Amino acid sequence: MKLEGYVEHIVYRNEDNGYSVLSFVSEGRELTVVGNFHYINEGELLELTGAYTEHPVYGEQFLAESFEVKAPRDVLAIERYLGSGAVKGIGAALAARIVRRFGEETFEILEREPERLAEIKGISERKAREIGEQIEEKRELREAMLFLQEYGISMSLGVKIQQKYGQEIYRIIKENPYRLADEMEGVGFRTADEIAKRVGIREDSDFRIRSGILYVLLQGSAEGHTCLPEPLLISRTIELLGGVSGEAVEKHLMDLSIDRRLVQKELTDAEGRKQIFVYAASCYRAELSVAAMLHQLKCFAEVSNSEILTKAARVEKLAGIELDERQKEAVAAAVQNGLLILTGGPGTGKTTTINAMIKYFEMEGLDIFLAAPTGRAAKRMTEATGCEAQTIHRMLELSGGPENASGRAAFARNEDNPLEADVIIIDEMSMVDIYLMQALLKAVIPGTRLILVGDVNQLPSVGPGSVLQDMIQSEAFPVVCLTRIFRQAARSDIIVNAHKINQGRQVALDNKSRDFFFLRRQDPNQILRVVLALVQEKMPRYVHAEISDIQVLTPMRKGALGVENLNQVLQRYLNPPSKDKEEREHGSGLFRTGDKVMQIRNNYQLEWEIRNRFGIALETGLGVFNGDMGIIRSINTFAEELTVEFDEGRMVSYPFKQLDELELAYAITVHKSQGSEYPAVVIPLLAGPRPLMNRNLLYTAVTRARSCVTLVGSADVFQMMVENETEQKRYTGLSEIIKSYLPAQVPGM
């Protein structure tokens, strides 16, 4: 059946698929209409096709299967539409004056002669033109939405595409939809490929093969690789595209290299054989510039060991600490070298060594900057040293705008405006990817001492590259590795067992420890119940912390013990529904006031502010980063925004259309926990993919706990992970490129 009426109010709209709940007036009767609507506004006249249905909770509704937007036909309908706020700058009073002046011809004049609006008192010629442009834009947008909908493009993505390309979208979609994947964030190859199929573009199209190659490299980057072996890239591309020959892929590899979008370089693989690796051009440039800038920092200070030891002894006395031989070696190396890597596991005295370095350089009157990749890691560094530490992004003064199409950050501190410091110490270096390292080094001038501190046995960075490991493997820079576990640290079974895991040794799971527990369970439902009891009751009391401070870590995203299911279960019990808590549905789940959430991608434009108790902003800044965790403080359905409080009281407001940047964080993957430390950690452990369930991941998970770690699950799986040292290989060329800068060794020298 057909139904005609106007949209009184949009009760709910899903920005991804256009699903909406409308308060709809037809023939003087108000009713609820549900369905997928394109870009419509309140006040618009619609003709609906569909049927009435009975909802078990909300009662009678009209389910719209399709709709058509009609131009308002009478003066009341025209006035209602214009006064609804659909056109910016026209309110109810002005809408009434416009309709009084032009009557039923109003819409025709708005579309064809908008300059005539200036005949009305209160509307200037400029405002008349702006209103006319809005009417035209809305018409174009609606037509574009209808066109893009035919190709399965969601409303929110369709708006972004239309805003970027305007009237060009019709030509782009029909000729080369793969441009969307290459040029727009949020449009992947698979989306573009689906559009291409509907348009009728051939499977062996040049556009498709080129885009497929770039997509495989992008996927490799998401896995942490900066490059891929050429045979692997070709086989993955053939698998992705289907029906395309290896010769065709090789031809386009050469073409993309000529266009300077790819770089093909001969490197040595893990077996010591020479073969061709393929880079995206930006990745290759990043590795090349990082290697060159690292070598520029390799300078030496003529300071004798005896002088350093004398001053180090004074530091020990002033700070009340005692350094062992390896730590003294590290202090001497920091003084004598422009670049130093300090590495070691938990409890080996890295913090004491950093503190000794800071005291030494302070005695010399040098300016020292401390930084870490994440807010949590910077906060830990501040607490451990007593000196202010910042995130690397903040130290480099994030400027807010993406540097290029890849959306990477732009910083105010760079080669033209370097950091004004004598010594820079970076902690948690294993988390630093190739692009952040490139940005950091641009801001460090030769002569500044750069000290890089990290645990090479932790999981590598979320972003592409394996910077710390590659630098160590290159053997081009001084490295001091701390191995001795100090007496105080040796009292902690978390630290002792972490080292045993790292060495592949047997760990006693007898629960005789005070801070390391293993609860044997085999059934996923039993494990879930135990995890919930630990987080909700036992751990907060045991470590004297809030429930929100207890972190569940899991290796996987999917499955009964994966992040997605764990978060739904934990949300249900730790933050149950209440009439006092606002909610917002998103995707397959929902957000609720009081939920623990995590930012899941870098957003350099998001603004934050630190407020006083009266809500007045004391400090503002830009940037929220992948892995930042916070609590939802408010959900405003009227303003359609959600506010999260992150570390250090940073308040960030998210428009509802940006909620895909957040996810629940009662449970997170071990990868996302890098650089963080929690009072207590709970780790559910059952079978999973063998490449994922390895020693490296288990070691990282256990070392996230400060006071207590509890594993729940299978002891056999735990032992299998200890024995499985085959961490996922990352394809990078940084180590070899660094070596290429070293002077050739002369035989006999």
Side-chain angles (χ1 to χ4, degrees):
M1 66 176 292
K2 292 189 181 296
L3 196 67
E4 189 174 281
Y6 67 90
V7 180
E8 174 75 14
H9 177 58
I10 299 173
V11 179
Y12 169 78
R13 173 183 280 157
N14 184 314
E15 295 291 347
D16 291 326
N17 56 25
Y19 176 80
S20 305
V21 179
L22 310 178
S23 175
F24 194 77
V25 176
S26 177
E27 298 179 348
R29 177 184 170 217
E30 189 171 341
L31 64 147
T32 299
V33 170
V34 296
N36 290 325
F37 291 88
H38 309 296
Y39 205 77
I40 63 161
N41 295 292
E42 293 175 353
E44 293 200 86
L45 183 67
L46 306 180
E47 182 181 85
L48 310 176
T49 302
Y52 283 100
T53 61
E54 190 71 25
H55 190 280
V57 176
Y58 300 111
E60 187 182 61
Q61 298 178 338
F62 187 85
L63 176 61
E65 294 170 0
S66 62
F67 74 95
E68 186 179 345
V69 179
K70 299 282 188 179
R73 287 188 292 271
D74 57 65
V75 291
L76 276 176
I78 294 169
E79 185 178 330
R80 183 187 300 117
Y81 172 72
L82 291 178
S84 69
V87 180
K88 189 178 178 182
I90 300 181
L94 188 54
R97 294 211 301 276
I98 293 170
V99 173
R100 266 201 308 273
R101 175 74 179 80
F102 298 115
E104 292 183 359
E105 295 180 346
T106 298
F107 249 89
E108 190 174 335
I109 285 165
L110 285 171
E111 289 183 350
R112 297 182 184 179
E113 302 176 89
E115 65 277 2
R116 287 190 58 191
L117 290 174
E119 297 172 16
I120 296 166
K121 187 178 179 181
I123 300 182
S124 64
E125 288 186 15
R126 179 182 170 186
K127 188 170 183 178
R129 284 195 302 272
E130 287 175 353
I131 290 170
E133 286 168 3
Q134 276 193 72
I135 295 291
E136 179 66 14
E137 283 172 8
K138 286 180 181 296
R139 184 183 63 77
E140 288 179 0
L141 181 60
R142 183 176 288 123
E143 289 173 359
M145 292 302 101
L146 290 167
F147 172 74
L148 294 172
Q149 190 73 12
E150 293 175 24
Y151 300 103
I153 297 171
S154 71
M155 190 167 69
S156 59
L157 183 55
V159 171
K160 291 176 186 174
I161 293 171
Q162 199 273 341
Q163 286 173 344
K164 182 172 177 67
Y165 296 111
Q167 294 299 99
E168 280 280 282
I169 60 169
Y170 303 100
R171 183 181 63 80
I172 290 169
I173 292 292
K174 288 175 179 174
E175 290 180 8
N176 178 20
Y178 296 102
R179 269 187 66 183
L180 304 181
D182 292 347
E183 299 171 2
M184 284 203 66
E185 189 178 350
V187 182
F189 170 82
R190 294 186 187 281
T191 301
D193 204 36
E194 187 60 38
I195 296 168
K197 283 179 187 172
R198 297 188 187 201
V199 172
I201 291 174
R202 299 193 329 269
E203 281 193 348
D204 61 351
S205 152
D206 289 351
F207 293 136
R208 183 169 186 255
I209 297 172
R210 288 165 69 97
S211 185
I213 291 168
L214 294 171
Y215 175 74
V216 169
L217 275 177
L218 183 67
Q219 289 298 100
S221 179
E223 295 168 14
H225 310 298
T226 59
C227 55
L228 290 175
E230 187 173 270
L232 179 62
L233 174 60
I234 291 170
S235 65
R236 283 189 177 187
T237 305
I238 292 169
E239 184 181 351
L240 171 73
L241 299 179
V244 173
S245 69
E247 290 76 17
V249 176
E250 284 187 55
K251 173 192 174 296
H252 285 287
L253 278 177
M254 186 60 66
D255 292 344
L256 286 165
S257 296
I258 292 168
D259 292 345
R260 297 187 177 181
R261 300 196 66 184
L262 300 181
V263 174
Q264 294 170 288
K265 184 172 178 63
E266 188 178 69
L267 296 171
T268 306
D269 64 18
E271 283 73 42
R273 298 169 305 191
K274 291 284 186 182
Q275 67 167 307
I276 299 298
F277 283 75
V278 182
Y279 286 85
S282 61
C283 257
Y284 180 68
R285 286 194 298 268
E287 285 199 344
L288 206 61
S289 66
V290 164
M293 289 186 289
L294 285 170
H295 277 286
Q296 288 171 7
L297 295 177
K298 277 183 67 176
C299 53
F300 305 95
E302 296 294 332
V303 186
S304 68
N305 282 335
S306 60
E307 182 183 338
I308 294 170
L309 290 174
T310 301
K311 290 180 179 178
R314 200 185 316 163
V315 166
E316 288 178 288
K317 189 173 180 181
L318 288 171
I321 58 177
E322 187 178 338
L323 303 176
D324 72 2
E325 288 306 310
R326 189 62 66 86
Q327 290 173 312
K328 289 175 183 174
E329 179 190 332
V331 173
V335 174
Q336 293 170 330
N337 293 280
L339 178 61
L340 171 69
I341 298 168
L342 175 65
T343 184
T348 57
K350 292 195 300 293
T351 300
T352 302
T353 309
I354 292 170
N355 282 329
M357 291 175 181
I358 292 170
K359 292 285 187 295
Y360 189 105
F361 291 127
E362 283 177 342
M363 282 170 47
E364 299 291 291
L366 303 182
D367 290 327
I368 307 161
F369 284 2
L370 307 180
T374 67
R376 282 177 173 266
K379 186 178 178 183
R380 285 175 57 200
M381 198 178 186
T382 299
E383 292 167 352
T385 63
C387 302
E388 184 191 357
Q390 307 174 76
T391 63
I392 298 173
H393 289 86
R394 202 164 176 183
M395 180 177 73
L396 296 178
E397 297 176 20
L398 182 71
S399 63
E403 194 173 74
N404 48 38
S406 67
R408 287 190 295 280
F411 297 101
R413 293 290 182 175
N414 50 40
E415 57 268 53
D416 300 320
N417 182 28
L419 292 165
E420 296 169 7
D422 300 305
V423 181
I424 299 171
I425 303 176
I426 307 293
D427 199 8
E428 296 289 354
M429 259 304 296
S430 63
M431 296 180 66
V432 175
D433 66 31
I434 192 67
Y435 293 118
L436 186 55
M437 190 64 176
Q438 182 185 28
L440 171 65
L441 293 175
K442 281 181 179 180
V444 181
I445 57 173
T448 302
R449 287 181 175 86
L450 181 61
I451 300 164
L452 307 176
V453 185
D455 182 351
V456 78
N457 293 306
Q458 285 188 26
L459 290 170
S461 57
V462 174
S466 187
V467 175
L468 181 63
Q469 194 169 55
D470 284 352
M471 287 180 66
I472 294 171
Q473 284 180 353
S474 73
E475 299 181 347
F477 312 106
V479 178
V480 177
C481 182
L482 304 177
T483 55
R484 175 188 164 196
I485 303 175
F486 285 85
R487 191 184 309 143
Q488 187 175 352
R491 298 193 192 109
S492 165
D493 286 320
I494 294 174
I495 290 173
V496 171
N497 288 338
H499 283 276
K500 286 182 178 178
I501 290 167
N502 190 42
Q503 294 158 8
R505 292 162 54 202
Q506 190 80 30
V507 175
L509 305 179
D510 53 12
N511 291 333
K512 292 180 180 178
S513 169
R514 288 182 300 176
D515 60 6
F516 190 98
F517 301 98
F518 196 101
L519 306 180
R520 288 172 168 80
R521 301 289 188 278
Q522 296 296 334
D523 179 66
N525 290 323
Q526 282 186 333
I527 293 172
L528 279 171
R529 283 194 290 272
V530 173
V531 167
L532 182 60
L534 287 166
V535 175
Q536 196 169 20
E537 302 166 17
K538 299 185 184 304
M539 284 296 105
R541 288 202 301 266
Y542 190 70
V543 298
H544 308 292
E546 299 293 323
I547 289 176
S548 60
D549 292 328
I550 312 303
Q551 189 60 55
V552 178
L553 302 181
T554 179
M556 298 165 294
R557 291 198 60 82
K558 302 292 184 182
L561 300 177
V563 162
E564 293 172 11
N565 188 55
L566 278 166
N567 271 318
Q568 289 191 4
V569 172
L570 291 166
Q571 182 194 45
R572 192 182 315 143
Y573 289 97
L574 301 181
N575 189 30
S578 161
K579 62 180 181 180
D580 302 323
K581 298 174 185 174
E582 290 287 342
E583 295 182 352
R584 170 68 182 183
E585 289 187 16
H586 185 73
S588 58
L590 61 82
F591 293 118
R592 183 176 295 133
T593 303
D595 273 339
K596 185 176 178 180
V597 292
M598 173 183 277
Q599 174 82 10
I600 59 170
R601 65 176 68 107
N602 289 336
N603 186 325
Y604 306 111
Q605 285 80 43
L606 261 182
E607 296 182 9
W608 54 261
E609 58 183 32
I610 297 173
R611 305 168 184 165
N612 65 13
R613 59 194 181 97
F614 302 108
I616 298 169
L618 300 175
E619 186 181 349
T620 60
L622 289 171
V624 184
F625 307 110
N626 189 355
D628 284 357
M629 291 172 67
I631 303 291
I632 296 176
R633 295 303 183 197
S634 66
I635 298 175
N636 188 328
T637 52
F638 179 76
E640 295 196 333
E641 67 176 24
L642 175 154
T643 302
V644 178
E645 181 177 359
F646 289 100
D647 287 336
E648 302 172 341
R650 292 176 301 137
M651 307 295 287
V652 179
S653 294
Y654 290 81
F656 283 172
K657 63 184 179 184
Q658 263 184 275
L659 293 186
D660 58 348
E661 295 191 13
L662 291 173
E663 68 180 22
L664 293 175
Y666 298 100
I668 62 175
T669 62
V670 178
H671 282 84
K672 291 284 190 183
S673 73
Q674 287 172 263
S676 297
E677 185 179 75
Y678 310 95
V681 163
V682 179
I683 307 168
L685 215 56
L686 268 185
R690 183 171 171 80
L692 191 65
M693 308 292 280
N694 59 46
R695 181 187 298 176
N696 199 219
L697 183 134
L698 183 60
Y699 172 80
T700 302
V702 166
T703 54
R704 297 310 88 208
R706 182 166 61 245
S707 301
C708 184
V709 61
T710 306
L711 299 104
V712 188
S714 165
D716 291 340
V717 171
F718 179 91
Q719 190 56 41
M720 179 272 289
M721 291 180 75
V722 172
E723 293 169 1
N724 181 15
E725 54 182 327
T726 57
E727 62 184 279
Q728 186 180 11
K729 166 67 181 166
R730 285 200 168 187
Y731 295 111
T732 68
L734 181 62
S735 176
E736 200 161 334
I737 294 171
I738 288 171
K739 288 177 184 177
S740 71
Y741 279 87
L742 294 172
Q745 294 296 311
V746 180
M749 295 290 287

